[in-house]
Amino acid sequence: MASSSALSRLSNLHNHLRPLDSNNQARSSLIEGLVKFSPEVYQALSSGRAVVALESTIISHGMPYPQNLETAKQVEEIVRKNGAVPATIAILDGVPCVGLSAEQLERLATLGTRAQKTARRDIAYVVAGRRNGATTVSATMFFASTVGIPVFVTGGIGGVHRHGEETMDVSSDLTELGKTPVAVVSAGVKSILDIPKTLEYLETQGVCVVGYKTDEFPAFFTDTSGCKAPCRLDTPEECARLIDATTKLKLGNGVLIAVPIPKEQSASGSKIESAIQKALKEAREKNIIGSAETPFLLARVNELTGGASLASNIALVKNNALVGSKIAVALARLREHSSKGELLPIQ
């Protein structure tokens, strides 16, 4: 653990960036006693450098070993090469960790699905039982917000499942975006979900949804969904100003920045959709529901497409890391100049 005096300095820095209200006051106590920082992440946060939060479910549940470990290392390296510090978040032996060592990444990758898939609702259970937990989007957002990391990169967020109007199966990622001030950089929502209903739900939650260099909301494996993006931004600097404005206005919600998968790496939309429909039918026949459904569908779709969907998944995560890092660096630069009373030119 970092020393208590060091943690106090970090807490004071966080309070300076986001003045405490009653909810944040309760959260600050988590910094004091439960969260463990890697030295790299701690130093970056203390000095105001750009930090990018990364989830860990993609490591434990998203792909097989050793491909999951290789991808995790490559994504972290992309973040570093673009001027930011990666903070992969997980719970190990009941301790929430912000930033993982090489040994911890290896451990999580080899644990695979034996690490509990941990959403917000599961955090206390995993911590209290000293279990190992791989954080989903909602849990990663919670911890990132708690320690003052404003930018989080993932593959795709969860959403409203197909036939969600009957099953009420709606990902906690959406409600987390509605109440947690973190910018999430993703390739839209997974195309196994109901994208139009997901966008409607995000609107209800008051979440600003941005198409990055696109007018059309991306669909994870492909760069088109048939749904118009609510707004469009074309540079990291524009995204940074949006995030900063959201914070200063104290809106209290997150921002979703949807980045299309690069066209050259986009899988065939019709091929993926056909596989999705077959996998959904199999899931219903096997009564696979709830948190088990998405991992099953992604794995089955990968099988049905001969590995094409997994290759696309890895490509889009890396691209999101590239974009997210540039946004985090632009935001850190903006806030540094703002603290000095300087104005950056609009680019």
Side-chain angles (χ1 to χ4, degrees):
M1 292 279 185
S3 68
S4 59
S5 60
L7 284 173
S8 177
R9 289 197 302 276
L10 181 56
S11 182
N12 289 337
L13 171 67
H14 181 230
N15 296 347
H16 173 70
L17 293 176
R18 288 180 52 217
L20 291 175
D21 56 25
S22 59
N23 291 330
N24 290 335
Q25 185 70 54
R27 285 187 175 188
S28 71
S29 64
L30 198 114
I31 297 176
E32 298 297 333
L34 292 180
V35 176
K36 180 178 182 180
F37 298 87
S38 71
E40 181 185 26
V41 170
Y42 174 76
Q43 290 298 328
L45 287 173
S46 298
S47 60
R49 288 183 58 201
V51 179
V52 172
L54 301 168
E55 62 156 294
S56 48
T57 296
I58 195 171
I59 302 172
S60 62
H61 292 69
M63 56 192 72
Y65 181 86
Q67 202 165 22
N68 56 355
L69 178 61
E70 293 167 2
T71 301
K73 289 180 177 179
Q74 290 165 359
V75 169
E76 287 200 346
E77 188 56 29
I78 288 170
V79 172
R80 291 189 180 96
K81 283 184 177 179
N82 285 278
V85 172
T88 301
I89 295 175
I91 302 173
L92 297 174
D93 299 320
V95 179
C97 298
V98 179
L100 301 183
S101 66
E103 293 76 16
Q104 288 171 323
L105 276 177
E106 172 85 34
R107 180 184 176 192
L108 192 62
T110 53
L111 275 172
T113 55
R114 288 176 292 161
Q116 179 166 339
K117 186 178 179 183
T118 305
R120 170 190 269 264
R121 69 168 187 183
D122 309 303
I123 292 172
Y125 173 77
V126 174
V127 169
R130 298 180 182 176
R131 296 172 174 85
N132 297 308
T135 54
T136 64
V137 169
S138 65
T140 307
M141 285 184 70
F142 169 79
F143 285 118
S145 176
T146 296
V147 302
I149 301 175
V151 178
F152 161 42
V153 165
T154 185
I157 66 165
V160 179
H161 280 253
R162 300 189 189 198
H163 310 292
E165 68 277 11
E166 300 170 3
T167 64
M168 298 299 291
D169 193 347
V170 179
S171 172
S172 62
D173 297 352
L174 304 187
T175 51
E176 199 68 38
L177 273 160
K179 63 186 177 186
T180 302
V182 171
V184 179
V185 180
S186 83
V189 300
K190 300 178 180 72
S191 50
I192 59 176
L193 304 171
D194 188 319
I195 295 176
K197 286 188 178 67
T198 298
L199 288 171
E200 288 289 347
Y201 199 99
L202 286 167
E203 180 185 5
T204 301
Q205 293 292 311
V207 177
C208 181
V209 177
V210 176
Y212 186 74
K213 297 184 178 181
T214 181
D215 294 313
E216 186 169 351
F217 190 76
F220 194 64
F221 291 124
T222 61
D223 57 358
T224 59
S225 66
C227 299
K228 181 174 171 46
C231 60
R232 171 176 176 156
L233 295 176
D234 292 298
T235 68
E237 290 74 22
E238 287 178 324
C239 294
R241 288 197 296 273
L242 173 66
I243 296 166
D244 193 52
T246 301
T247 302
K248 288 177 177 176
L249 289 167
K250 298 183 180 180
L251 292 173
N253 54 263
V255 173
L256 177 61
I257 301 172
V259 182
I261 184 173
K263 285 186 179 294
E264 64 273 17
Q265 295 160 323
S266 176
S268 166
S270 59
K271 182 178 181 181
I272 294 286
E273 181 60 28
S274 175
I276 288 170
Q277 291 298 334
K278 185 172 183 179
L280 282 166
K281 184 174 181 292
E282 292 177 5
R284 287 194 294 270
E285 290 171 349
K286 296 178 180 180
N287 196 33
I288 299 173
I289 58 176
S291 62
E293 184 177 25
T294 297
F296 169 81
L297 292 174
L298 291 176
R300 188 68 182 116
V301 169
N302 186 56
E303 292 174 4
L304 293 169
T305 60
S309 66
L310 179 57
S312 294
N313 196 351
I314 292 172
L316 65 85
V317 170
K318 291 180 178 179
N319 187 58
N320 292 346
L322 171 67
V323 174
S325 301
K326 291 180 178 180
I327 292 172
V329 169
L331 180 60
R333 182 167 173 260
L334 175 64
R335 289 180 170 175
E336 179 186 3
H337 283 264
S338 178
S339 69
K340 296 176 181 177
E342 301 171 353
L343 290 177
L344 286 175
I346 295 179
Q347 300 180 10

